[in-house]
Amino acid sequence: MFEKFLPLVGASLLAITYGFFQGLLPPDAAYASMMGASAGVAAILVGFLAATKAVMLAMSPSQIYQSLREAGLTKTLFSYIKVGVFFSIIFAVYSVFLMFFDSSNLQSFDVYNHTIAHPLMIVWVWLSVFSILSFLRVSNLIFKMLNVADALT
């Protein structure tokens, strides 16, 4: 149950913390490079998640896969992969989008007498943490499935 909400809770807590404490921005000279690197990391996460799904589908005729499917683990895994791929692609696109902003002029706004600095970066923090935690959630479930497969053989 904990793994189901880990990406959402973890990303939300870190993004809120970043926003509340008016998190730092990278230096102007490194801002575009950091956004480009973030898009690259997101693309790698998409690649790993897609490869995981492809490997699982290639195993579908096997008895172990059928046992895992009957236990309901494959449905959960494919759901987590879908969410991970979706948000990693959004993270990549958003990182490229942010490359077009001047990091020294990111806007802020006031909410209930509290200044929210760098709202675009708060979304970036949320997407980055959510994408990474989604990837880790899939990895964790894969290892659980391998343990179940070992027990079945």
Side-chain angles (χ1 to χ4, degrees):
M1 185 68 161
F2 174 70
E3 73 186 9
K4 183 176 184 177
F5 298 106
L6 175 64
L8 179 63
V9 171
S12 297
L13 286 175
L14 282 173
I16 289 168
T17 302
Y18 178 87
F20 184 77
F21 291 108
Q22 299 180 6
L24 299 174
L25 290 174
D28 290 341
Y31 177 79
S33 297
M34 188 174 102
M35 292 303 126
S38 298
V41 167
I44 291 169
L45 293 176
V46 169
F48 277 123
L49 292 169
T52 300
K53 185 170 184 178
V55 168
M56 290 301 296
L57 289 174
M59 289 178 43
S60 62
S62 72
Q63 181 60 37
I64 292 174
Y65 179 87
Q66 296 304 322
S67 299
L68 293 171
R69 185 171 161 212
E70 290 169 9
L73 293 174
T74 56
K75 183 178 180 182
T76 302
L77 176 66
F78 290 151
S79 170
Y80 289 169
I81 289 173
K82 182 173 126 180
V83 168
V85 167
F86 180 77
F87 279 99
S88 293
I89 290 171
I90 290 175
F91 176 46
V93 170
Y94 192 73
S95 295
V96 170
F97 170 75
L98 285 181
M99 289 174 72
F100 295 99
F101 284 83
D102 179 7
S103 63
S104 62
N105 286 330
L106 292 176
Q107 300 294 319
S108 62
F109 58 92
D110 293 324
V111 176
Y112 298 113
N113 298 321
H114 182 74
T115 300
I116 306 294
H118 321 302
L120 294 174
M121 291 303 294
I122 293 171
V123 174
W124 180 84
V125 167
W126 190 91
L127 285 170
S128 65
V129 173
F130 190 91
S131 297
I132 291 168
L133 290 178
S134 292
F135 173 78
L136 293 175
R137 175 174 65 178
V138 169
S139 298
N140 186 41
L141 187 57
I142 289 288
F143 285 113
K144 284 181 182 178
M145 290 174 75
L146 290 173
N147 286 337
V148 170
D150 270 349
L152 294 173
T153 57

